[in-house]
Amino acid sequence: AQSVSQHNHHVILSEAASLELGCNYSYGGTVNLFWYVQYPGQHLQLLLKYFSGDPLVKGIKGFEAEFIKSKFSFNLRKPSVQWSDTAEYFCAVKSGGYQKVTFGTGTKLQVIP
Amino acid sequence: DAGVIQSPRHEVTEMGQEVTLRCKPISGHDYLFWYRQTMMRGLELLIYFNNNVPIDDSGMPEDRFSAKMPNASFSTLKIQPSEPRDSAVYFCASSLSAYNQPQHFGDGTRLSIL
């Protein structure tokens, strides 16, 4: 069975600091990988996705993620965070040709002005 | 384009009552998912449908939970009888069937069972 690990449960940064959120998955075959963001009181929104090709994926709002197959990782990055990035971030994986997506437990990001 | 529409947005009811949550997926999407989100367990997949047919209901916690999809534009998640531990935010999501397509989430229903 596939699984997703997000090791950082709560991250606090000052504005303009750089961000990297870790995500590791367990599945040896072909995967689709996603990062979703959930702003307080809102639904999950897609930030970016990887399914093939360039392992460096650029998403909305200046976020990017790098797929490193050898490390089973898909870390999310942003060079300079803003207060408005305060939210919870979820990594997710879809694999094996199935539509079922497995979500990580989420990382709460708090950006201090 | 209209996104996934869920109703109600908030529901407060007493233990033992029947609760029905509703979802309208994005038109043309042939997969529909029901999730439950709590602080303790995070986001859990309860059940998903493909072309109105339930494919995997292994996440449904107990027989008190049931879900139906009578047509391509409507699904319900029912809890009967409800219990305080069912309090959570319930999300519906839909997607196209292509492998690389993401899920699109509704705004959720915040359910409180007193």
Side-chain angles (χ1 to χ4, degrees):
Chain A
Q2 62 195 22
S3 66
V4 180
S5 297
Q6 291 182 246
H7 304 295
N8 310 108
H9 297 294
H10 197 177
V11 173
I12 301 174
L13 294 173
S14 298
E15 273 193 317
S18 65
L19 170 72
E20 181 159 2
L21 301 182
C23 172
N24 288 92
Y25 65 93
S26 65
Y27 184 75
T30 303
V31 292
N32 278 183
L33 296 157
F34 307 88
W35 275 98
Y36 284 84
V37 60
Q38 186 178 29
Y39 297 103
Q42 296 188 26
H43 61 275
L44 276 76
Q45 303 171 43
L46 183 68
L47 265 183
L48 48 80
K49 67 178 182 179
Y50 169 82
F51 54 94
S52 66
D54 189 344
L56 185 61
V57 180
K58 294 195 184 298
I60 60 172
K61 305 188 182 191
F63 286 91
E64 65 179 31
E66 185 174 13
F67 170 53
I68 303 179
K69 190 174 181 179
S70 61
K71 295 185 178 180
F72 298 90
S73 71
F74 190 55
N75 291 356
L76 181 71
R77 299 195 291 248
K78 185 170 183 178
S80 176
V81 294
Q82 300 172 314
W83 177 78
S84 58
D85 294 324
T86 295
E88 190 161 13
Y89 294 81
F90 293 88
C91 182
V93 63
K94 187 162 67 170
S95 61
Y98 298 109
Q99 287 293 332
K100 186 172 177 176
V101 174
T102 300
F103 285 84
T105 51
T107 297
K108 282 188 168 66
L109 172 65
Q110 184 178 356
V111 180
I112 301 170
Chain B
D1 286 342
V4 176
I5 299 172
Q6 290 187 248
S7 64
R9 289 296 308 277
H10 303 274
E11 174 90 15
V12 180
T13 192
E14 291 187 346
M15 181 174 69
Q17 298 297 308
E18 178 179 292
V19 173
T20 300
L21 311 181
R22 297 171 177 78
C23 175
K24 177 179 166 53
I26 293 172
S27 178
H29 283 194
D30 47 1
Y31 278 86
L32 183 139
F33 306 81
W34 282 102
Y35 290 90
R36 177 172 68 176
Q37 186 179 39
T38 61
M39 291 287 290
M40 293 297 293
R41 294 183 171 161
L43 199 60
E44 303 172 276
L45 176 66
L46 300 177
I47 184 171
Y48 76 94
F49 295 82
N50 176 218
N51 292 323
N52 315 338
V53 175
I55 302 301
D56 184 347
D57 65 354
S58 59
M60 296 285 262
E62 338 177 355
D63 291 345
R64 299 184 296 106
F65 285 69
S66 62
K68 293 183 180 178
M69 192 164 185
N71 58 62
S73 58
F74 183 65
S75 176
T76 60
L77 178 68
K78 193 170 289 189
I79 309 173
Q80 166 64 18
S82 58
E83 296 183 5
R85 60 193 167 117
D86 302 330
S87 297
V89 181
Y90 291 81
F91 286 103
C92 177
S94 70
S95 74
L96 292 167
S97 58
Y99 180 55
N100 59 8
Q101 293 300 311
Q103 295 177 13
H104 298 264
F105 284 77
D107 287 336
T109 295
R110 186 171 293 276
L111 177 64
S112 298
I113 308 296
L114 305 177

